[in-house]
């Protein structure tokens, strides 16, 4: 019981630390509002989840399936950046030195961090399911409500997918070279590969082997595709079934609909989905012996803000010198130098690769290059306003006249320039 109380205390403290920030609830509200876009009426020219130009009528089962597939794919990307960093925060603030002196085990500490991430995801899914109930009532296509059918797809499809995301967030926080921009870029590449694997083979019409799979991809797309196709083949044999669309897909012509009253996954299907979180638990226990090693390779906020690990970039001085003739330009040049001179060589190599994609590739390759470039700057976009707080310079910097507005304006200009 003592071990359980220690475990619950870590999870509770982590959740309280997150929920104290206003931005946490702002993000929750925005994601809840965006969930409404997942349920367009039939009169519009797009669908979020459906087969070619057809989607299910808004029953509790179909709304649950839509939310589960959206969360298992898109939230598995954005959720990683939402929850990661709590382990590093404990290392940098020396909280870990206090925790390691208690009877708490390393494995239970990592498990608590993973459960904290999962609690955030569960809260997001709960908000989405509430929006889904309102959408079912408002659209009025199916008036019968079934809470289990609403919840079941998220339980068996979304949560195992997000369990993998939560595990990778813990793993990337433990590896020193993946805690910053390199990890942000690498996870995006990993997510792209998993997304392609989810649609590879099982999403091709007329592939009977897809119906025999019980251990599906992490996102559960193969399982959902198989079951929806089986129902449609029986209930609407004349309906042309194409590939499964997930996301906002523009459709030319009239959008049709089909009945989806219930979803009943088999026992082996549920076991296959549970293997993903079980594998994550095994992975967390395997990482526990490396926890001390990981904590010992963490720089403090002051050490990171010194920028000693970056490059000199002497060419920046003559390039930015014309801007230093007026106050805004001097502040802009100083901010830009501070950011760029902290970047390590591998950051510049990643940036060169992203630029090469934008120049040499075409279509989706160019878009991928743009996204990779933006991910390299994720720490700049997300933490620019926290620099004074982390470095302990707020009392000095913010004592200048109109410092808050000047800093916000300059940092917005720098962020747009870098983007």
């Amino acid at each position: 019981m003592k071990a359980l109380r220690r475990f619950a205390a870590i999870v509770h403290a982590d959740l309280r630390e997150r929920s104290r920030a206003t931005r946490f609830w702002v993000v929750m509200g925005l994601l809840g509002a965006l969930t409404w876009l997942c349920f367009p009426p039939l009169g519009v020219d797009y669908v979020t989840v459906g087969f070619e130009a057809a989607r299910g009528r808004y029953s509790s089962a179909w709304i649950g399936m839509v939310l589960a597939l959206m969360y298992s794919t898109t939230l598995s990307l954005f959720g990683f950046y939402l929850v990661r960093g709590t382990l590093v925060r404990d290392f940098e603030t020396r909280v870990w030195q206090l925790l390691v002196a208690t009877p708490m085990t390393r494995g239970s500490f990592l498990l608590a961090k993973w459960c904290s991430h999962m609690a955030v995801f569960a809260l997001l899914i709960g908000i989405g399911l509430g929006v889904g109930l309102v959408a079912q009532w408002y659209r009025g296509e199916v008036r019968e409500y079934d809470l289990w059918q609403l919840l079941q797809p998220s339980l068996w499809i979304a949560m195992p997918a997000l369990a993998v995301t939560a595990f990778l967030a813990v793993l990337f926080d433990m590896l020193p070279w993946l805690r910053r921009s390199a990890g942000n870029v690498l996870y995006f590449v990993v997510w792209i590969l998993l997304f392609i694997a989810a649609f590879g083979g099982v999403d091709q019409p007329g592939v009977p082997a897809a119906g025999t799979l019980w251990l599906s991809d992490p996102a559960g797309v193969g399982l959902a595709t198989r079951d929806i196709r089986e129902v449609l083949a029986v209930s609407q044999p004349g309906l042309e079934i194409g590939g499964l669309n997930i996301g906002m897909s523009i459709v030319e012509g009239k959008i049709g609909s089909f009945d989806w009253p219930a979803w009943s996954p088999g026992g082996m299907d549920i076991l296959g989905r549970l293997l993903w979180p079980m594998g994550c638990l095994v992975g967390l226990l395997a990482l526990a012996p490396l926890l001390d090693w990981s904590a010992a390779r963490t720089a403090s906020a002051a050490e990171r803000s010194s920028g000693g690990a970056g490059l000199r970039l002497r060419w920046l001085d003559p390039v930015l010198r014309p801007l230093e003739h007026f106050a805004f330009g001097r502040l802009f040049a100083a901010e830009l130098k501070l950011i760029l001179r902290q970047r390590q060589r591998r950051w510049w190599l990643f940036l060169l690769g992203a630029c090469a994609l934008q120049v040499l590739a075409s279509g989706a390759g160019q878009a991928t290059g743009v996204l990779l470039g933006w991910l390299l700057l994720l720490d700049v976009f997300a933490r620019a306003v926290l620099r004074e707080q982390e470095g302990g310079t707020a009392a000095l910097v913010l004592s200048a006249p109109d410092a808050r507005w000047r800093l916000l304006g300059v940092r917005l200009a720098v962020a747009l320039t870098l983007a």
Side-chain angles (χ1 to χ4, degrees), residues 27-39 46 48 67 70-71 78 127-128 131 248:
V27 170
M28 289 290 179
L30 288 175
L31 290 176
L34 290 174
T35 303
W36 182 261
L37 300 178
C38 296
F39 309 109
Y46 75 93
T48 52
L67 290 174
M70 292 295 291
Y71 286 142
F78 300 111
I127 294 173
V131 174
M248 191 169 292

Side-chain angles (χ1 to χ4, degrees), residues 258-313:
F258 54 86
D259 290 325
W260 184 257
W263 180 54
S264 302
M268 291 300 295
D269 296 327
I270 295 175
L271 175 62
R273 297 303 296 158
L274 291 178
L275 286 179
W276 291 107
M278 290 170 60
C280 293
L281 295 179
V282 173
L284 289 170
L285 295 178
L287 290 175
L290 301 176
L291 197 52
D292 292 328
W293 170 86
S294 178
R297 285 156 179 79
T298 302
S300 65
E303 292 169 341
R304 287 187 289 105
S305 63
S306 65
L311 303 177
R312 293 182 180 274
L313 303 181

Side-chain angles (χ1 to χ4, degrees), residues 163-187:
V164 177
T165 300
F167 169 74
L168 291 177
V170 173
L171 174 63
F172 279 43
D173 277 355
M174 284 196 62
L175 300 178
W177 52 89
L178 294 180
R179 290 172 181 168
R180 304 293 170 188
S181 299
N184 295 334
V185 175
L186 179 61
Y187 181 78

Side-chain angles (χ1 to χ4, degrees), residues 42 53-58 141 232 236 239 254-260:
L42 282 174
R55 63 156 176 84
R57 294 186 180 91
Y58 290 140
E141 296 182 3
L232 290 180
Q236 299 192 33
L239 182 65
K254 185 179 179 181
I255 298 176
S257 62
F258 54 86
D259 290 325
W260 184 257

